Amino acid sequence: FPLEYSSILLAQEKMGDYYLRLHQYEKAGQYYIIVNNYCIAQNSRSGTSTMTDLKLAETILNSNKDDQLEEAYQLVTNYPVNLLKFTAGKYYYAELCAHICDALHKKEAAAAFAKSALELLKTANSPLAKSKTGSGKKLGGRQFRTLLEISAC
């Protein structure tokens, strides 16, 4: 039944993605937790995007649950970054880490991650450079500082 489980995991992760796009963070988190727990139990990320822990951290950050920010921080700092092969994934990781560290008032770490994200945007031939702006995001009621603001600390 391994193929069956990976199909179910992928579907659950996609449901999390769907609810994340709709800013329904509680529902998104529920799906990501199911996938993440299964990956931990199996010691494998097979059948997933390999990024559910990062998506769960993003969900926590955007949900304004300040009491869970440390959990989000643990998710991103324990993430095996060697799984990120493409610039878009590396940028997503660096930007997410910058915002989580900034929310936790870990200014030096936030600045380092923000600078890393900004460097990735400057990468030649990067499709991110055309699609990303330097404006701050407002999601779930939390106003995020821009990467430029964070990197200046």
Side-chain angles (χ1 to χ4, degrees):
F1 303 115
L3 183 58
E4 217 173 275
Y5 280 116
S6 62
S7 296
I8 291 170
L9 285 178
L10 186 59
Q12 289 174 325
E13 183 177 357
K14 292 298 178 192
M15 288 300 295
D17 295 346
Y18 172 76
Y19 285 115
L20 182 61
R21 276 194 310 276
L22 293 177
H23 309 289
Q24 294 182 18
Y25 305 117
E26 193 73 33
K27 285 184 180 181
Q30 291 170 354
Y31 284 103
Y32 292 141
I33 288 169
I34 290 168
V35 176
N36 215 33
N37 288 344
Y38 184 83
C39 290
I40 291 167
Q42 297 299 313
N43 198 26
S44 171
R45 295 168 186 267
S46 182
T48 71
S49 71
T50 72
M51 295 175 57
T52 54
D53 22 14
L54 297 181
K55 293 174 183 180
L56 179 56
E58 179 184 1
T59 301
I60 293 168
L61 177 67
N62 291 334
S63 68
N64 283 325
K65 294 185 178 178
D66 291 344
D67 60 321
Q68 293 181 1
L69 281 174
E70 191 61 41
E71 178 186 347
Y73 179 74
Q74 292 303 317
L75 285 166
V76 296
T77 56
N78 292 331
Y79 182 78
V81 292
N82 61 323
L83 294 176
L84 301 171
K85 304 294 184 203
F86 300 105
T87 304
K90 292 174 184 177
Y91 174 83
Y92 174 66
Y93 175 79
E95 180 187 36
L96 180 61
C97 288
H99 287 299
I100 290 171
C101 289
D102 189 49
L104 287 170
H105 307 291
K106 297 176 185 280
K107 300 300 178 193
E108 290 179 16
F113 282 118
K115 288 175 184 172
S116 176
L118 290 169
E119 284 302 313
L120 287 165
L121 280 178
K122 293 178 187 175
T123 303
N125 300 323
S126 172
L128 294 171
K130 297 174 186 123
S131 65
K132 297 287 181 184
T133 65
S135 63
K137 294 190 230 176
K138 184 170 184 180
L139 295 173
R142 181 190 301 271
Q143 179 65 45
F144 294 107
R145 297 186 319 145
T146 66
L147 291 173
L148 285 173
E149 291 170 333
I150 296 170
S151 69
C153 291

